[in-house]
PDB file of all heavy atoms in Angstrom:
ATOM      1  N   LEU E1433       9.602  -1.315   2.608  1.00  0.00           N
ATOM      2  CA  LEU E1433       8.958  -1.121   3.896  1.00  0.00           C
ATOM      3  C   LEU E1433       9.994  -1.299   4.996  1.00  0.00           C
ATOM      4  O   LEU E1433      10.834  -2.205   4.936  1.00  0.00           O
ATOM      5  CB  LEU E1433       7.827  -2.137   4.085  1.00  0.00           C
ATOM      6  CG  LEU E1433       6.722  -2.123   3.022  1.00  0.00           C
ATOM      7  CD1 LEU E1433       5.739  -3.259   3.272  1.00  0.00           C
ATOM      8  CD2 LEU E1433       5.991  -0.785   3.014  1.00  0.00           C
ATOM      9  N   VAL E1434       9.939  -0.439   6.004  1.00  0.00           N
ATOM     10  CA  VAL E1434      10.924  -0.519   7.090  1.00  0.00           C
ATOM     11  C   VAL E1434      10.219  -0.425   8.442  1.00  0.00           C
ATOM     12  O   VAL E1434       9.133   0.144   8.558  1.00  0.00           O
ATOM     13  CB  VAL E1434      11.998   0.585   6.969  1.00  0.00           C
ATOM     14  CG1 VAL E1434      12.797   0.417   5.688  1.00  0.00           C
ATOM     15  CG2 VAL E1434      11.376   1.972   7.018  1.00  0.00           C
ATOM     16  N   GLU E1435      10.854  -0.975   9.447  1.00  0.00           N
ATOM     17  CA  GLU E1435      10.298  -0.996  10.807  1.00  0.00           C
ATOM     18  C   GLU E1435      11.176  -0.225  11.777  1.00  0.00           C
ATOM     19  O   GLU E1435      11.355  -0.629  12.915  1.00  0.00           O
ATOM     20  CB  GLU E1435      10.132  -2.445  11.279  1.00  0.00           C
ATOM     21  CG  GLU E1435       9.124  -3.244  10.466  1.00  0.00           C
ATOM     22  CD  GLU E1435       8.956  -4.668  10.968  1.00  0.00           C
ATOM     23  OE1 GLU E1435       9.856  -5.483  10.708  1.00  0.00           O
ATOM     24  OE2 GLU E1435       7.925  -4.954  11.618  1.00  0.00           O
ATOM     25  N   LEU E1436      11.693   0.887  11.333  1.00  0.00           N
ATOM     26  CA  LEU E1436      12.531   1.709  12.203  1.00  0.00           C
ATOM     27  C   LEU E1436      11.677   2.386  13.269  1.00  0.00           C
ATOM     28  O   LEU E1436      10.502   2.666  13.053  1.00  0.00           O
ATOM     29  CB  LEU E1436      13.269   2.756  11.372  1.00  0.00           C
ATOM     30  CG  LEU E1436      14.128   2.207  10.220  1.00  0.00           C
ATOM     31  CD1 LEU E1436      14.751   3.348   9.443  1.00  0.00           C
ATOM     32  CD2 LEU E1436      15.191   1.248  10.737  1.00  0.00           C
ATOM     33  N   LYS E1437      12.275   2.653  14.412  1.00  0.00           N
ATOM     34  CA  LYS E1437      11.539   3.207  15.549  1.00  0.00           C
ATOM     35  C   LYS E1437      11.775   4.698  15.775  1.00  0.00           C
ATOM     36  O   LYS E1437      10.993   5.355  16.468  1.00  0.00           O
ATOM     37  CB  LYS E1437      11.920   2.448  16.834  1.00  0.00           C
ATOM     38  CG  LYS E1437      11.691   0.943  16.763  1.00  0.00           C
ATOM     39  CD  LYS E1437      10.237   0.596  16.503  1.00  0.00           C
ATOM     40  CE  LYS E1437      10.015  -0.919  16.471  1.00  0.00           C
ATOM     41  NZ  LYS E1437       8.622  -1.254  16.084  1.00  0.00           N
ATOM     42  N   GLN E1438      12.842   5.229  15.211  1.00  0.00           N
ATOM     43  CA  GLN E1438      13.175   6.641  15.401  1.00  0.00           C
ATOM     44  C   GLN E1438      13.604   7.255  14.068  1.00  0.00           C
ATOM     45  O   GLN E1438      14.258   6.591  13.261  1.00  0.00           O
ATOM     46  CB  GLN E1438      14.332   6.793  16.409  1.00  0.00           C
ATOM     47  CG  GLN E1438      14.059   6.258  17.793  1.00  0.00           C
ATOM     48  CD  GLN E1438      13.009   7.075  18.537  1.00  0.00           C
ATOM     49  OE1 GLN E1438      12.826   8.269  18.249  1.00  0.00           O
ATOM     50  NE2 GLN E1438      12.332   6.452  19.477  1.00  0.00           N
ATOM     51  N   PRO E1439      13.271   8.529  13.831  1.00  0.00           N
ATOM     52  CA  PRO E1439      13.734   9.185  12.599  1.00  0.00           C
ATOM     53  C   PRO E1439      15.249   9.138  12.438  1.00  0.00           C
ATOM     54  O   PRO E1439      15.754   9.056  11.319  1.00  0.00           O
ATOM     55  CB  PRO E1439      13.238  10.626  12.761  1.00  0.00           C
ATOM     56  CG  PRO E1439      12.085  10.535  13.704  1.00  0.00           C
ATOM     57  CD  PRO E1439      12.410   9.410  14.650  1.00  0.00           C
ATOM     58  N   SER E1440      15.976   9.192  13.563  1.00  0.00           N
ATOM     59  CA  SER E1440      17.441   9.186  13.500  1.00  0.00           C
ATOM     60  C   SER E1440      17.996   7.878  12.946  1.00  0.00           C
ATOM     61  O   SER E1440      19.167   7.807  12.543  1.00  0.00           O
ATOM     62  CB  SER E1440      18.025   9.440  14.896  1.00  0.00           C
ATOM     63  OG  SER E1440      17.594   8.438  15.803  1.00  0.00           O
ATOM     64  N   GLN E1441      17.172   6.823  12.907  1.00  0.00           N
ATOM     65  CA  GLN E1441      17.622   5.532  12.381  1.00  0.00           C
ATOM     66  C   GLN E1441      17.625   5.489  10.851  1.00  0.00           C
ATOM     67  O   GLN E1441      18.098   4.523  10.263  1.00  0.00           O
ATOM     68  CB  GLN E1441      16.746   4.407  12.933  1.00  0.00           C
ATOM     69  CG  GLN E1441      16.912   4.181  14.427  1.00  0.00           C
ATOM     70  CD  GLN E1441      15.976   3.105  14.961  1.00  0.00           C
ATOM     71  OE1 GLN E1441      14.756   3.211  14.893  1.00  0.00           O
ATOM     72  NE2 GLN E1441      16.557   2.043  15.501  1.00  0.00           N
ATOM     73  N   ILE E1442      17.089   6.524  10.228  1.00  0.00           N
ATOM     74  CA  ILE E1442      17.173   6.623   8.758  1.00  0.00           C
ATOM     75  C   ILE E1442      18.565   7.149   8.432  1.00  0.00           C
ATOM     76  O   ILE E1442      18.803   8.360   8.348  1.00  0.00           O
ATOM     77  CB  ILE E1442      16.083   7.550   8.197  1.00  0.00           C
ATOM     78  CG1 ILE E1442      14.698   7.055   8.607  1.00  0.00           C
ATOM     79  CG2 ILE E1442      16.186   7.640   6.674  1.00  0.00           C
ATOM     80  CD1 ILE E1442      13.560   7.989   8.221  1.00  0.00           C
ATOM     81  N   THR E1443      19.506   6.267   8.272  1.00  0.00           N
ATOM     82  CA  THR E1443      20.904   6.647   8.097  1.00  0.00           C
ATOM     83  C   THR E1443      21.249   6.851   6.623  1.00  0.00           C
ATOM     84  O   THR E1443      20.526   6.408   5.726  1.00  0.00           O
ATOM     85  CB  THR E1443      21.827   5.574   8.676  1.00  0.00           C
ATOM     86  OG1 THR E1443      21.656   4.366   7.903  1.00  0.00           O
ATOM     87  CG2 THR E1443      21.497   5.290  10.141  1.00  0.00           C
ATOM     88  N   GLU E1444      22.379   7.499   6.390  1.00  0.00           N
ATOM     89  CA  GLU E1444      22.856   7.684   5.020  1.00  0.00           C
ATOM     90  C   GLU E1444      23.141   6.340   4.358  1.00  0.00           C
ATOM     91  O   GLU E1444      22.931   6.178   3.152  1.00  0.00           O
ATOM     92  CB  GLU E1444      24.125   8.557   5.022  1.00  0.00           C
ATOM     93  CG  GLU E1444      23.901   9.993   5.479  1.00  0.00           C
ATOM     94  CD  GLU E1444      22.917  10.736   4.590  1.00  0.00           C
ATOM     95  OE1 GLU E1444      22.846  10.430   3.378  1.00  0.00           O
ATOM     96  OE2 GLU E1444      22.218  11.632   5.108  1.00  0.00           O
ATOM     97  N   GLN E1445      23.586   5.361   5.136  1.00  0.00           N
ATOM     98  CA  GLN E1445      23.843   4.034   4.582  1.00  0.00           C
ATOM     99  C   GLN E1445      22.546   3.366   4.131  1.00  0.00           C
ATOM    100  O   GLN E1445      22.482   2.750   3.067  1.00  0.00           O
ATOM    101  CB  GLN E1445      24.554   3.145   5.614  1.00  0.00           C
ATOM    102  CG  GLN E1445      24.993   1.786   5.054  1.00  0.00           C
ATOM    103  CD  GLN E1445      25.966   1.924   3.898  1.00  0.00           C
ATOM    104  OE1 GLN E1445      27.006   2.588   4.013  1.00  0.00           O
ATOM    105  NE2 GLN E1445      25.636   1.319   2.765  1.00  0.00           N
ATOM    106  N   HIS E1446      21.494   3.492   4.969  1.00  0.00           N
ATOM    107  CA  HIS E1446      20.188   2.970   4.568  1.00  0.00           C
ATOM    108  C   HIS E1446      19.749   3.601   3.247  1.00  0.00           C
ATOM    109  O   HIS E1446      19.325   2.899   2.313  1.00  0.00           O
ATOM    110  CB  HIS E1446      19.127   3.282   5.634  1.00  0.00           C
ATOM    111  CG  HIS E1446      19.131   2.350   6.795  1.00  0.00           C
ATOM    112  ND1 HIS E1446      19.038   2.784   8.098  1.00  0.00           N
ATOM    113  CD2 HIS E1446      19.196   0.994   6.857  1.00  0.00           C
ATOM    114  CE1 HIS E1446      19.051   1.751   8.909  1.00  0.00           C
ATOM    115  NE2 HIS E1446      19.151   0.648   8.185  1.00  0.00           N
ATOM    116  N   ILE E1447      19.827   4.901   3.183  1.00  0.00           N
ATOM    117  CA  ILE E1447      19.379   5.628   1.994  1.00  0.00           C
ATOM    118  C   ILE E1447      20.182   5.192   0.769  1.00  0.00           C
ATOM    119  O   ILE E1447      19.623   4.962  -0.317  1.00  0.00           O
ATOM    120  CB  ILE E1447      19.487   7.143   2.225  1.00  0.00           C
ATOM    121  CG1 ILE E1447      18.436   7.579   3.250  1.00  0.00           C
ATOM    122  CG2 ILE E1447      19.319   7.910   0.920  1.00  0.00           C
ATOM    123  CD1 ILE E1447      18.581   9.014   3.710  1.00  0.00           C
ATOM    124  N   HIS E1448      21.477   5.078   0.938  1.00  0.00           N
ATOM    125  CA  HIS E1448      22.349   4.634  -0.158  1.00  0.00           C
ATOM    126  C   HIS E1448      21.913   3.269  -0.678  1.00  0.00           C
ATOM    127  O   HIS E1448      21.837   3.057  -1.905  1.00  0.00           O
ATOM    128  CB  HIS E1448      23.799   4.582   0.336  1.00  0.00           C
ATOM    129  CG  HIS E1448      24.760   4.031  -0.669  1.00  0.00           C
ATOM    130  ND1 HIS E1448      25.184   4.768  -1.757  1.00  0.00           N
ATOM    131  CD2 HIS E1448      25.359   2.803  -0.753  1.00  0.00           C
ATOM    132  CE1 HIS E1448      26.016   4.017  -2.471  1.00  0.00           C
ATOM    133  NE2 HIS E1448      26.147   2.834  -1.887  1.00  0.00           N
ATOM    134  N   ASN E1449      21.600   2.370   0.222  1.00  0.00           N
ATOM    135  CA  ASN E1449      21.177   1.016  -0.176  1.00  0.00           C
ATOM    136  C   ASN E1449      19.798   1.033  -0.833  1.00  0.00           C
ATOM    137  O   ASN E1449      19.587   0.378  -1.865  1.00  0.00           O
ATOM    138  CB  ASN E1449      21.164   0.087   1.036  1.00  0.00           C
ATOM    139  CG  ASN E1449      22.551  -0.203   1.575  1.00  0.00           C
ATOM    140  OD1 ASN E1449      23.546  -0.090   0.848  1.00  0.00           O
ATOM    141  ND2 ASN E1449      22.638  -0.552   2.844  1.00  0.00           N
ATOM    142  N   TRP E1450      18.853   1.754  -0.263  1.00  0.00           N
ATOM    143  CA  TRP E1450      17.487   1.785  -0.810  1.00  0.00           C
ATOM    144  C   TRP E1450      17.474   2.333  -2.233  1.00  0.00           C
ATOM    145  O   TRP E1450      16.747   1.831  -3.081  1.00  0.00           O
ATOM    146  CB  TRP E1450      16.586   2.634   0.083  1.00  0.00           C
ATOM    147  CG  TRP E1450      16.378   2.086   1.465  1.00  0.00           C
ATOM    148  CD1 TRP E1450      16.460   0.777   1.858  1.00  0.00           C
ATOM    149  CD2 TRP E1450      16.066   2.840   2.644  1.00  0.00           C
ATOM    150  NE1 TRP E1450      16.220   0.660   3.206  1.00  0.00           N
ATOM    151  CE2 TRP E1450      15.974   1.914   3.718  1.00  0.00           C
ATOM    152  CE3 TRP E1450      15.853   4.196   2.910  1.00  0.00           C
ATOM    153  CZ2 TRP E1450      15.664   2.302   5.027  1.00  0.00           C
ATOM    154  CZ3 TRP E1450      15.554   4.590   4.206  1.00  0.00           C
ATOM    155  CH2 TRP E1450      15.458   3.655   5.250  1.00  0.00           C
ATOM    156  N   LYS E1451      18.283   3.357  -2.470  1.00  0.00           N
ATOM    157  CA  LYS E1451      18.276   4.008  -3.787  1.00  0.00           C
ATOM    158  C   LYS E1451      18.761   3.088  -4.903  1.00  0.00           C
ATOM    159  O   LYS E1451      18.501   3.358  -6.080  1.00  0.00           O
ATOM    160  CB  LYS E1451      19.149   5.268  -3.750  1.00  0.00           C
ATOM    161  CG  LYS E1451      18.531   6.428  -2.982  1.00  0.00           C
ATOM    162  CD  LYS E1451      19.477   7.595  -2.854  1.00  0.00           C
ATOM    163  CE  LYS E1451      19.797   8.225  -4.187  1.00  0.00           C
ATOM    164  NZ  LYS E1451      20.634   9.442  -4.024  1.00  0.00           N
ATOM    165  N   LYS E1452      19.415   2.010  -4.563  1.00  0.00           N
ATOM    166  CA  LYS E1452      19.916   1.093  -5.586  1.00  0.00           C
ATOM    167  C   LYS E1452      18.796   0.358  -6.303  1.00  0.00           C
ATOM    168  O   LYS E1452      18.962  -0.078  -7.443  1.00  0.00           O
ATOM    169  CB  LYS E1452      20.866   0.070  -4.943  1.00  0.00           C
ATOM    170  CG  LYS E1452      22.177   0.648  -4.459  1.00  0.00           C
ATOM    171  CD  LYS E1452      23.013  -0.434  -3.794  1.00  0.00           C
ATOM    172  CE  LYS E1452      24.316   0.124  -3.261  1.00  0.00           C
ATOM    173  NZ  LYS E1452      25.133  -0.918  -2.560  1.00  0.00           N
ATOM    174  N   TYR E1453      17.637   0.202  -5.619  1.00  0.00           N
ATOM    175  CA  TYR E1453      16.568  -0.600  -6.226  1.00  0.00           C
ATOM    176  C   TYR E1453      15.170  -0.028  -6.018  1.00  0.00           C
ATOM    177  O   TYR E1453      14.247  -0.391  -6.751  1.00  0.00           O
ATOM    178  CB  TYR E1453      16.609  -2.033  -5.663  1.00  0.00           C
ATOM    179  CG  TYR E1453      16.510  -2.104  -4.153  1.00  0.00           C
ATOM    180  CD1 TYR E1453      15.273  -2.141  -3.512  1.00  0.00           C
ATOM    181  CD2 TYR E1453      17.657  -2.110  -3.357  1.00  0.00           C
ATOM    182  CE1 TYR E1453      15.178  -2.187  -2.125  1.00  0.00           C
ATOM    183  CE2 TYR E1453      17.581  -2.155  -1.973  1.00  0.00           C
ATOM    184  CZ  TYR E1453      16.336  -2.194  -1.370  1.00  0.00           C
ATOM    185  OH  TYR E1453      16.241  -2.242   0.006  1.00  0.00           O
ATOM    186  N   ALA E1454      14.969   0.855  -5.048  1.00  0.00           N
ATOM    187  CA  ALA E1454      13.618   1.312  -4.699  1.00  0.00           C
ATOM    188  C   ALA E1454      13.390   2.764  -5.129  1.00  0.00           C
ATOM    189  O   ALA E1454      14.323   3.561  -5.175  1.00  0.00           O
ATOM    190  CB  ALA E1454      13.393   1.175  -3.195  1.00  0.00           C
ATOM    191  N   ILE E1455      12.114   3.069  -5.409  1.00  0.00           N
ATOM    192  CA  ILE E1455      11.747   4.463  -5.692  1.00  0.00           C
ATOM    193  C   ILE E1455      11.324   5.188  -4.417  1.00  0.00           C
ATOM    194  O   ILE E1455      11.189   6.406  -4.405  1.00  0.00           O
ATOM    195  CB  ILE E1455      10.613   4.558  -6.719  1.00  0.00           C
ATOM    196  CG1 ILE E1455       9.312   3.958  -6.158  1.00  0.00           C
ATOM    197  CG2 ILE E1455      11.010   3.890  -8.033  1.00  0.00           C
ATOM    198  CD1 ILE E1455       8.060   4.395  -6.870  1.00  0.00           C
ATOM    199  N   GLY E1456      11.068   4.410  -3.348  1.00  0.00           N
ATOM    200  CA  GLY E1456      10.611   5.027  -2.109  1.00  0.00           C
ATOM    201  C   GLY E1456      10.643   4.064  -0.953  1.00  0.00           C
ATOM    202  O   GLY E1456      10.991   2.878  -1.104  1.00  0.00           O
ATOM    203  N   VAL E1457      10.261   4.576   0.209  1.00  0.00           N
ATOM    204  CA  VAL E1457      10.238   3.760   1.423  1.00  0.00           C
ATOM    205  C   VAL E1457       8.875   3.876   2.091  1.00  0.00           C
ATOM    206  O   VAL E1457       8.193   4.896   1.974  1.00  0.00           O
ATOM    207  CB  VAL E1457      11.350   4.177   2.420  1.00  0.00           C
ATOM    208  CG1 VAL E1457      12.719   3.891   1.836  1.00  0.00           C
ATOM    209  CG2 VAL E1457      11.221   5.636   2.803  1.00  0.00           C
ATOM    210  N   GLY E1458       8.491   2.810   2.785  1.00  0.00           N
ATOM    211  CA  GLY E1458       7.264   2.798   3.559  1.00  0.00           C
ATOM    212  C   GLY E1458       7.593   2.892   5.034  1.00  0.00           C
ATOM    213  O   GLY E1458       8.268   2.009   5.581  1.00  0.00           O
ATOM    214  N   LEU E1459       7.133   3.956   5.679  1.00  0.00           N
ATOM    215  CA  LEU E1459       7.501   4.230   7.066  1.00  0.00           C
ATOM    216  C   LEU E1459       6.297   4.146   7.994  1.00  0.00           C
ATOM    217  O   LEU E1459       5.183   4.522   7.618  1.00  0.00           O
ATOM    218  CB  LEU E1459       8.093   5.642   7.190  1.00  0.00           C
ATOM    219  CG  LEU E1459       9.353   5.967   6.392  1.00  0.00           C
ATOM    220  CD1 LEU E1459       9.708   7.444   6.590  1.00  0.00           C
ATOM    221  CD2 LEU E1459      10.507   5.082   6.809  1.00  0.00           C
ATOM    222  N   ASP E1460       6.540   3.721   9.208  1.00  0.00           N
ATOM    223  CA  ASP E1460       5.574   3.845  10.294  1.00  0.00           C
ATOM    224  C   ASP E1460       5.324   5.347  10.511  1.00  0.00           C
ATOM    225  O   ASP E1460       6.273   6.138  10.605  1.00  0.00           O
ATOM    226  CB  ASP E1460       6.171   3.202  11.550  1.00  0.00           C
ATOM    227  CG  ASP E1460       5.244   3.210  12.756  1.00  0.00           C
ATOM    228  OD1 ASP E1460       4.420   4.134  12.884  1.00  0.00           O
ATOM    229  OD2 ASP E1460       5.368   2.298  13.583  1.00  0.00           O
ATOM    230  N   SER E1461       4.064   5.729  10.595  1.00  0.00           N
ATOM    231  CA  SER E1461       3.741   7.162  10.717  1.00  0.00           C
ATOM    232  C   SER E1461       4.433   7.828  11.898  1.00  0.00           C
ATOM    233  O   SER E1461       4.710   9.026  11.871  1.00  0.00           O
ATOM    234  CB  SER E1461       2.225   7.353  10.843  1.00  0.00           C
ATOM    235  OG  SER E1461       1.742   6.836  12.067  1.00  0.00           O
ATOM    236  N   ARG E1462       4.739   7.055  12.937  1.00  0.00           N
ATOM    237  CA  ARG E1462       5.297   7.649  14.148  1.00  0.00           C
ATOM    238  C   ARG E1462       6.712   8.186  13.962  1.00  0.00           C
ATOM    239  O   ARG E1462       7.196   8.954  14.796  1.00  0.00           O
ATOM    240  CB  ARG E1462       5.249   6.631  15.293  1.00  0.00           C
ATOM    241  CG  ARG E1462       3.823   6.308  15.736  1.00  0.00           C
ATOM    242  CD  ARG E1462       3.775   5.158  16.721  1.00  0.00           C
ATOM    243  NE  ARG E1462       4.197   3.903  16.098  1.00  0.00           N
ATOM    244  CZ  ARG E1462       4.226   2.721  16.722  1.00  0.00           C
ATOM    245  NH1 ARG E1462       3.870   2.644  17.993  1.00  0.00           N
ATOM    246  NH2 ARG E1462       4.605   1.628  16.084  1.00  0.00           N
ATOM    247  N   ILE E1463       7.395   7.796  12.884  1.00  0.00           N
ATOM    248  CA  ILE E1463       8.736   8.344  12.674  1.00  0.00           C
ATOM    249  C   ILE E1463       8.752   9.337  11.506  1.00  0.00           C
ATOM    250  O   ILE E1463       9.813   9.769  11.068  1.00  0.00           O
ATOM    251  CB  ILE E1463       9.798   7.247  12.463  1.00  0.00           C
ATOM    252  CG1 ILE E1463       9.623   6.548  11.111  1.00  0.00           C
ATOM    253  CG2 ILE E1463       9.783   6.256  13.603  1.00  0.00           C
ATOM    254  CD1 ILE E1463      10.854   5.750  10.712  1.00  0.00           C
ATOM    255  N   VAL E1464       7.566   9.675  11.040  1.00  0.00           N
ATOM    256  CA  VAL E1464       7.474  10.640   9.936  1.00  0.00           C
ATOM    257  C   VAL E1464       7.375  12.051  10.505  1.00  0.00           C
ATOM    258  O   VAL E1464       6.435  12.390  11.213  1.00  0.00           O
ATOM    259  CB  VAL E1464       6.256  10.345   9.042  1.00  0.00           C
ATOM    260  CG1 VAL E1464       6.093  11.423   7.979  1.00  0.00           C
ATOM    261  CG2 VAL E1464       6.394   8.974   8.396  1.00  0.00           C
TER     262      VAL E1464
END
Side-chain angles (χ1 to χ4, degrees):
L1433 302 175
V1434 297
E1435 296 181 285
L1436 304 177
K1437 303 300 181 186
Q1438 299 292 334
S1440 60
Q1441 292 177 299
I1442 302 174
T1443 65
E1444 294 299 329
Q1445 186 60 54
H1446 279 135
I1447 290 171
H1448 175 75
N1449 292 337
W1450 295 334
K1451 287 174 65 175
K1452 291 178 182 178
Y1453 56 87
I1455 65 161
V1457 294
L1459 300 176
D1460 182 330
S1461 67
R1462 293 172 294 181
I1463 70 164
V1464 175

